[in-house]
Amino acid sequence: MSPTILIVEDEPPLIEVLRYNLESAGFATLVATDGEDALLLAAEETPNLIVLDWMLPKLSGIDVCRRLREAKATKTVPIIMLTARGEEGDKISGLDAGADDYVVKPFSPSELIARVRAVLRRSDPKFGEEKLDYADITVDLVAHKVTRAGQPVHLGPTEYRLLQTLMERPTRVFSREQLLDLVWGRDIYVEERTVDVHVRRLRKALNETGGADLIRTIRRGGYSIDIG
Ligand code: CA
């Protein structure tokens, strides 16, 4: 069963970014667009984690955080707060109010997903997805190490994130644009050709161990990891 994340955010574009990235990483999502809604949904659905924006209509994120901590049903649900850049005070008050962690806006999707995973892992070891396995490839998400048929595969940080993204959903085809969003982040302008360059490096590193090529190139479509 995939963990359910409650997104509490009032700006539609940011809701979409959060939802898209969390769902692509295999999480189920719920959305509340104001603080009161968030408290109701959290009590009704007891999500596995809450991503809570600081700036919200009606109740502020910090008030929502406090109230979630006071209520019996939501007392132990992990909370990650989204704070604005440079608001050092916000981070501290957020943690004081009971948040487990915070992410500073603007954030890269991979950073957010990594935080969500880390907080989930701490809250309940059953969500501690520490490894991704597919075919003879293993990605150790804690040690950031990759092996193929038991042999170490050495990857740069971008190739690692690329492999992790593909391994989270084996056989699913990711377009270049999706990979740019998931691996590089939406705020960064990178040409789609860059994806091809890094896929080529990843493929080379994976195949150095002598195994079959598991990265499928779909003409005009994108890439997937697939035994075929
Ligand atoms: Ca907001």
Side-chain angles (χ1 to χ4, degrees):
M1 198 196 76
S2 39
T4 301
I5 316 287
L6 171 61
I7 300 164
V8 188
E9 172 58 75
D10 58 314
E11 291 149 77
L14 194 50
I15 293 171
E16 275 322 298
V17 170
L18 290 165
R19 181 154 48 187
Y20 173 84
N21 286 291
L22 288 166
E23 287 180 0
S24 298
F27 298 108
T29 59
L30 295 165
V31 175
T33 52
D34 66 55
E36 283 168 10
D37 220 29
L39 292 172
L40 281 175
L41 252 179
E44 265 169 30
E45 308 278 342
T46 41
N48 300 110
L49 184 142
I50 300 170
V51 174
L52 177 60
D53 189 35
W54 189 276
M55 300 290 289
L56 289 171
K58 298 186 191 173
L59 280 172
S60 76
I62 196 96
D63 289 332
V64 175
C65 188
R66 269 196 209 101
R67 295 236 210 142
L68 286 168
R69 282 292 167 261
E70 281 160 15
K72 206 171 167 206
T74 54
K75 203 157 56 189
T76 59
V77 178
I79 298 170
I80 296 180
M81 293 212 64
L82 303 179
T83 69
R85 171 159 291 179
E87 303 291 324
E88 292 297 321
D90 283 4
K91 295 170 197 168
I92 296 156
S93 344
L95 296 175
D96 278 350
D100 296 85
D101 204 352
Y102 55 84
V103 174
V104 179
K105 292 202 253 186
F107 50 83
S108 74
S110 50
E111 181 194 354
L112 177 80
I113 300 294
R115 296 294 187 89
V116 166
R117 284 220 170 87
V119 170
L120 275 177
R121 198 156 46 226
R122 266 184 300 183
S123 77
D124 189 337
K126 90 166 176 275
F127 298 123
E129 205 189 352
E130 304 198 330
K131 279 196 305 181
L132 299 171
D133 284 296
Y134 184 68
D136 56 356
I137 301 173
T138 301
V139 178
D140 183 330
L141 296 170
V142 180
H144 281 238
K145 284 192 176 133
V146 177
T147 56
R148 179 149 194 205
Q151 296 199 57
V153 176
H154 302 287
L155 299 176
T158 305
E159 285 72 37
Y160 175 86
R161 287 203 302 276
L162 195 52
L163 178 64
Q164 182 185 337
T165 303
L166 294 172
M167 293 276 289
E168 269 157 5
R169 294 288 181 88
T171 75
R172 178 191 147 157
V173 177
F174 290 89
S175 69
R176 288 174 178 79
E177 200 188 337
Q178 287 171 328
L179 288 173
L180 281 178
D181 287 348
L182 291 167
V183 176
W184 281 264
R186 288 207 162 184
D187 300 323
I188 297 166
Y189 179 76
V190 185
E191 282 189 64
E192 293 200 350
R193 258 184 312 168
T194 309
V195 177
D196 302 334
V197 172
H198 288 276
V199 168
R200 209 149 46 226
R201 283 188 201 152
L202 173 61
R203 181 177 262 146
K204 184 163 174 269
L206 285 176
N207 295 351
E208 257 165 19
T209 56
D213 188 5
L214 295 179
I215 298 196
R216 246 177 89 212
T217 307
I218 293 88
R219 193 188 269 269
R220 275 198 288 273
Y223 295 102
S224 68
I225 191 149
D226 198 338
I227 301 172

